Amino acid sequence: MRSHSWPIGFVVAVALAGCGGEAPPEGADQEAAPAGQQQAAPAVEPASGQPAVAAQPADRMEGRVALSGTDEVPMVRLRPEEGQAVTLTGDLLPELSRLSGATVAVEGTKRGSGMMAQFEVASYEIVGIDGERPVVGVLQQQGTSFRIAAEGGAVALSNVPDALARNVGGEVWVIGVRESGTLQVQSFGVIRYP
């Protein structure tokens, strides 16, 4: 047997509606959220009978990825241009640790404050590496040709070094010069190995 907990405002509104009275203004029974924070919407019971989970807005931060700590206990930190650095956590941490020095925008959930602040990363985007915006995607090979299957479409590569060619099927970033419809590789990195 499942018990239901109804918000007081809902019960009052139903009671008043049944009596012909007016319901209190929406949010009258809730405390005001501190500045800069949003309150979660109350969970609603959908038709399926399963309790709904209110979607929490994702936090977003942009900064430079930095590695610190020791070999035994490595830490991946995000250092914004302004404000306090945070320690990154989550399933994407191995990928982010390969992006040391890159500027990334992360989305997820920030917890804590000051030196103890942590950011659990749900997704990220590489904003820049060495001042350039890289092409990011899965490295593919067709015969002797290589390309990156990127979000905006496939990008043909030229001057592909062996160290990059060995990572077909992996996710990579490439910076280079566009020439005759191809991207001539100048620098690259592997984000996720094949």
Side-chain angles (χ1 to χ4, degrees):
M1 180 174 169
R2 188 183 319 176
S3 64
H4 294 282
S5 174
W6 299 99
I8 293 172
F10 177 79
V11 174
V12 172
V14 170
L16 289 173
C19 297
E22 290 185 16
E26 190 172 335
D29 62 318
Q30 298 179 358
E31 294 180 21
Q37 294 182 354
Q38 296 181 349
Q39 287 186 327
V44 177
E45 189 86 11
S48 68
Q50 297 296 321
V53 178
Q56 295 290 331
D59 294 316
R60 182 176 170 86
M61 269 184 88
E62 185 174 313
R64 187 176 296 268
V65 177
L67 297 180
S68 61
T70 64
D71 289 340
E72 292 79 25
V73 187
M75 284 198 329
V76 182
R77 310 245 317 146
L78 186 70
R79 301 184 189 283
E81 283 190 24
E82 295 180 11
Q84 186 73 39
V86 297
T87 300
L88 301 179
T89 64
D91 294 338
L92 297 172
L93 202 56
E95 295 180 19
L96 289 162
S97 69
R98 295 183 192 106
L99 293 170
S100 180
T103 301
V104 300
V106 295
E107 287 192 359
T109 306
K110 185 180 177 186
R111 294 183 179 90
S113 60
M115 295 294 291
M116 302 303 289
Q118 294 189 343
F119 196 107
E120 184 174 356
V121 180
S123 65
Y124 68 93
E125 176 185 1
I126 302 173
V127 176
I129 296 177
D130 297 328
E132 300 283 336
R133 184 142 188 136
V135 175
V136 179
V138 176
L139 181 64
Q140 299 176 334
Q141 182 176 7
Q142 293 179 324
T144 58
S145 300
F146 293 90
R147 68 181 187 171
I148 291 181
E151 193 171 302
V155 177
L157 301 176
S158 63
N159 197 33
V160 177
D162 290 341
L164 176 57
R166 286 194 292 267
N167 289 287
V168 170
E171 186 172 7
V172 300
W173 61 262
V174 172
I175 292 174
V177 176
R178 294 197 183 262
E179 191 175 271
S180 302
T182 66
L183 182 66
Q184 184 177 355
V185 178
Q186 292 182 325
S187 61
F188 71 92
V190 179
I191 301 168
R192 186 172 54 243
Y193 289 96

